Amino acid sequence: MWFLSSLVTVLVGALSSVREIVKEDDIYRRERAVNLQVLPYILSKVWVGVVLAFYQAAVLLLTRILFTHPPLPDAGSYFALYGTLFISTLCGYLIGLMISASAPNQNAAMLLIIVVLVPQFMFAGALMPLDLIPGGEVISTFMPTRWTFEAFVNLSGMGKQLIHDPCWARPKAERKALSEAQKADCPCFGANIFTQCAEFPGILSPDFYDAKTQRV
């Protein structure tokens, strides 16, 4: 759900602004010939995006709380979550403005948004490891979805127990060579992931399985 949330925020922001500039192309050219300056015109679009991002982030947060009950450690995390949603939505809005300024017409703008947003899926770091994609680490630094997804994961604490597991800290070759006795000391490795790793999205997580299933 965190990955989908990161995609939705960027998508909502981009769709809100993808027509903002291109639909006013004729008006802009006429006003530009008189006295309209580029910077004030762009800022007039950006401040609207800021207001919309505040509103859209609030709606997204409320929807998330009502329907998915995000497992956040404390009340302060909700404010951090709202801030992350706001920044991500605003990034999407600015991406939409960039597309709108580059597109020759409104139909082309809607097609370009697909081209720009597809990499947001690929390089967010959730679908596949970035080190398996040539240049993935570098490209992902320019993707808002990557930073949004990482922020969501850090805020929720998901996977912290897995990260600190001593077995997973070993190189892949060493992990394969571990004996059953050595694996027993690692709460989130091997069979222990089903009995001891409570914070990982697995059998012990209440977000995925109820108490009855866990007892089975």
Side-chain angles (χ1 to χ4, degrees):
M1 289 299 294
W2 291 121
F3 174 54
L4 291 178
S5 296
S6 65
L7 292 175
V8 167
T9 53
V10 175
L11 182 61
V12 167
L15 289 175
S16 299
S17 62
V18 71
R19 298 177 185 269
E20 279 299 308
I21 295 177
V22 69
K23 71 180 182 181
E24 299 177 349
D25 184 58
D26 293 336
I27 299 174
Y28 171 78
R29 292 179 185 276
R30 183 173 64 250
E31 295 297 325
R32 185 81 173 94
V34 182
N35 59 2
L36 180 64
Q37 300 297 314
V38 175
L39 183 59
Y41 178 75
I42 295 298
L43 291 178
S44 71
K45 299 297 183 182
V46 172
W47 83 263
V48 173
V50 172
V51 175
L52 280 176
F54 274 116
Y55 167 74
Q56 291 168 342
V59 172
L60 290 170
L61 178 61
L62 182 61
T63 303
R64 189 69 200 266
I65 292 174
L66 291 177
F67 294 101
T68 62
H69 310 290
L72 299 178
D74 51 56
S77 297
Y78 285 93
F79 291 99
L81 179 59
Y82 176 76
T84 303
L85 289 169
F86 165 74
I87 294 173
S88 181
T89 305
L90 183 59
C91 285
Y93 186 90
L94 295 176
I95 290 173
L97 284 182
M98 179 188 68
I99 295 172
S100 187
S102 306
N105 54 64
Q106 296 187 48
N107 292 330
M110 297 306 297
L111 294 176
L112 284 174
I113 200 172
I114 299 174
V115 175
V116 173
L117 291 180
V118 165
Q120 303 293 336
F121 288 80
M122 298 300 299
F123 297 100
L127 297 180
M128 61 186 302
L130 295 173
D131 56 356
L132 297 182
I133 307 173
E137 288 285 353
V138 176
I139 297 173
S140 68
T141 58
F142 300 98
M143 302 298 154
T145 48
R146 176 202 170 170
W147 304 110
T148 305
F149 178 60
E150 286 191 7
F152 287 160
V153 171
N154 288 331
L155 286 172
S156 66
M158 184 178 67
K160 281 188 176 180
Q161 193 176 4
L162 187 70
I163 293 173
H164 297 298
D165 190 292
C167 286
W168 285 108
R170 297 169 179 262
K172 185 176 181 180
E174 291 186 18
R175 292 200 303 268
K176 289 185 176 181
L178 290 174
S179 65
E180 292 301 322
Q182 291 174 312
K183 292 179 182 179
D185 296 328
C186 301
C188 290
F189 193 83
N192 289 343
I193 199 169
F194 299 106
T195 58
Q196 300 181 34
C197 194
E199 296 179 2
F200 187 72
I203 192 68
L204 297 182
S205 174
D207 297 322
F208 292 84
Y209 298 95
D210 57 23
K212 181 179 179 181
T213 306
Q214 292 173 11
R215 287 196 299 271
V216 174

